[in-house]
Amino acid sequence: MNNLSDIGVIKEILGRHGFTFSKSLGQNFLINPSVCPRMAELSGAGKGVGVIEVGPGIGVLTNELCKLSDKVVAVELDKRLLPVLDETLKEYDNIKIINADVLELDLGKLIAQEFDSMDVVVCANLPYYITSPVIMKLLESKLPIKAITVMVQKEAAQRMCAKVGSRESGAVTVAVNYYAKPSMLFGVSAGSFMPAPKVDSAVMRLDVLSQPPIEADEKKFFSVVKAAFSQRRKTVANSLSSGLGIEKSEVIAMIENLGIPTNARAEKLSMQNFADIANCLEKG
Ligand code: SAM
């Protein structure tokens, strides 16, 4: 079997298929041989486990996932890559390629049809332009997925894996922590890809929680988080007042009552603080 992270092999295969990289599809293919085996190993792929991969490219990570798991379903939008994948994955009978946009696909149906009663994990080197929408779709759809191991832009991984309540946290940190336990796995330099992107990447894993870590009405919780972070430089009292259309004096009285400092910014609040605010608003 060819080494699919060898730059010479990649060029030969892609040249023979007349393939040219599409920047708009986020096509940066891995050429660092140490990344995919490590990523597949850490993703939870294994016997009795089904894997969903987003964007297999020429199949470098897919190969490792097929070696470890009972079944891999890879979703690739670029149909020019289908004949390439037919060739590079021909030795496996546990792979199914679906030519679709992952953001349009009914993943619940896919899991029910393809994975029966298997545990399911996601493992992918995500195209940068849809990192957050893909992750949020996977989390918000409440799919029966155990873990999501993805390579994303380093800054995006740092933001999602930041501690809630720390300076590095944002609305996406709180959202991710509502659904999962995030952990940073390892960094990957820009030079590990062809063509090399301008930024470094990192691999992170999200272990999906069976239930949220706090109790609150989900819609209210997220409207509070969104409003709180809408004006990062302002105090949470100000941003909640303008974001939710509530008198500032009322917001101050509420957060004071909850033991939250009135001059706190959103990045200082804990998951429980956001939940408390949502529950107060819910009560009216
Ligand atoms: N897995 C390969 C690797 O690591 O070398 C390729 C990763 S590349 C960063 C992203 C891949 O996602 C490309 O193959 C691209 O065509 C595919 N892609 C882009 N947008 C997509 C979408 N909306 N749905 C599914 N695949 C997509």
Side-chain angles (χ1 to χ4, degrees):
M1 159 50 233
N2 280 328
N3 178 358
L4 291 177
S5 49
D6 182 305
I7 195 160
V9 172
I10 301 176
K11 280 187 174 161
E12 190 279 317
I13 296 174
L14 294 183
R16 200 154 31 73
H17 286 269
F19 181 86
T20 48
F21 290 96
S22 157
K23 211 172 169 186
S24 63
L25 287 181
Q27 290 177 340
N28 303 97
F29 292 174
L30 270 162
I31 52 167
N32 177 341
S34 70
V35 175
C36 292
R38 202 168 160 204
M39 205 174 152
E41 193 72 49
L42 294 170
S43 72
K47 286 283 152 253
V49 177
V51 184
I52 300 176
E53 186 190 2
V54 179
I58 67 163
V60 61
L61 175 62
T62 327
N63 247 278
E64 301 301 327
L65 296 168
C66 285
K67 279 185 215 162
L68 292 178
S69 267
D70 285 354
K71 183 163 184 184
V72 179
V73 174
V75 183
E76 174 56 62
L77 177 58
D78 189 347
K79 67 172 182 308
R80 298 174 306 152
L81 287 166
L82 303 186
V84 177
L85 289 163
D86 272 347
E87 178 184 329
T88 58
L89 301 171
K90 63 175 182 286
E91 69 186 271
Y92 299 105
D93 59 6
N94 58 343
I95 173 73
K96 177 165 182 174
I97 306 288
I98 296 180
N99 181 210
D101 179 342
V102 68
L103 293 175
E104 304 283 321
L105 205 57
D106 182 340
L107 291 170
K109 199 165 145 198
L110 181 151
I111 292 173
Q113 282 173 350
E114 303 293 340
F115 296 114
D116 196 16
S117 56
M118 286 178 183
D119 278 351
V120 178
V121 300
V122 172
C123 186
N125 171 12
L126 290 179
Y128 290 155
Y129 78 106
I130 47 168
T131 298
S132 294
V134 172
I135 293 175
M136 290 321 293
K137 174 178 176 169
L138 291 168
L139 294 173
E140 285 167 359
S141 317
K142 303 203 171 73
L143 300 162
I145 289 174
K146 296 272 177 213
I148 301 166
T149 301
V150 279
M151 170 142 31
V152 300
Q153 204 172 314
K154 189 170 139 198
E155 286 69 24
Q158 283 168 336
R159 180 74 90 184
M160 285 188 243
C161 296
K163 199 170 169 315
V164 174
S166 74
R167 244 162 58 102
E168 296 73 31
S169 69
V172 73
T173 321
V174 178
V176 162
N177 276 272
Y178 181 85
Y179 297 108
K181 185 174 171 301
S183 35
M184 184 72 101
L185 297 183
F186 57 93
V188 181
S189 68
S192 300
F193 301 90
M194 179 173 83
K198 290 199 178 72
V199 291
D200 288 334
S201 296
V203 178
M204 62 174 193
R205 174 168 159 149
L206 307 176
D207 283 279
V208 180
L209 301 172
S210 51
Q211 55 186 42
I214 45 84
E215 267 180 50
D217 173 75
E218 185 167 328
K219 229 171 131 198
K220 215 27 140 200
F221 178 82
F222 280 104
S223 67
V224 167
V225 173
K226 191 170 162 218
F229 282 101
S230 60
Q231 295 157 298
R232 275 186 82 86
R233 291 205 184 129
K234 294 202 171 172
T235 63
V236 79
N238 274 320
S239 39
L240 285 180
S241 167
S242 54
L244 298 173
I246 307 171
E247 277 298 319
K248 194 172 161 197
S249 56
E250 249 183 76
V251 177
I252 289 182
M254 172 180 67
I255 63 175
E256 224 169 14
N257 201 27
L258 292 170
I260 301 168
T262 52
N263 62 353
R265 292 177 205 275
E267 68 215 35
K268 287 284 164 220
L269 267 54
S270 67
M271 295 295 285
Q272 191 57 54
N273 289 153
F274 288 114
D276 288 344
I277 296 171
N279 289 333
C280 261
L281 294 173
E282 184 72 356
K283 279 188 215 133

